[in-house]
Amino acid sequence: MRDNGPTTQREYLLGDHDVLISKTDKQSYIQYANQPFIEVSGFSYEELTGSPPEFNQ
């Protein structure tokens, strides 16, 4: 299982028009994430796409 490192306990405030979007396949692998989602996640697009969510491991 991948180690996502320590949690930051950092709050990330979204603006009124900010929208977080991600798309997964039927196995919950991330296929797409928009730029605000990537920024909030703390990972690069390459790290996010094709990766299963850790809670399913």
Side-chain angles (χ1 to χ4, degrees):
M1 182 181 343
R2 177 176 71 192
D3 179 7
N4 289 332
T7 58
T8 63
Q9 301 299 320
R10 191 175 338 161
E11 183 177 16
Y12 191 93
L13 299 177
L14 298 174
D16 290 340
H17 300 287
D18 288 335
V19 178
L20 304 180
I21 300 173
S22 66
K23 179 182 176 184
T24 61
D25 63 15
K26 292 181 181 183
Q27 290 77 39
S28 298
Y29 285 79
I30 298 171
Q31 299 299 305
Y32 169 80
N34 69 346
Q35 190 59 41
F37 185 98
I38 295 166
E39 291 172 11
V40 169
S41 77
F43 294 99
S44 71
Y45 182 78
E46 291 76 20
E47 290 171 313
L48 287 172
T49 55
S51 298
E54 291 302 317
F55 59 84
N56 285 341
Q57 297 290 322

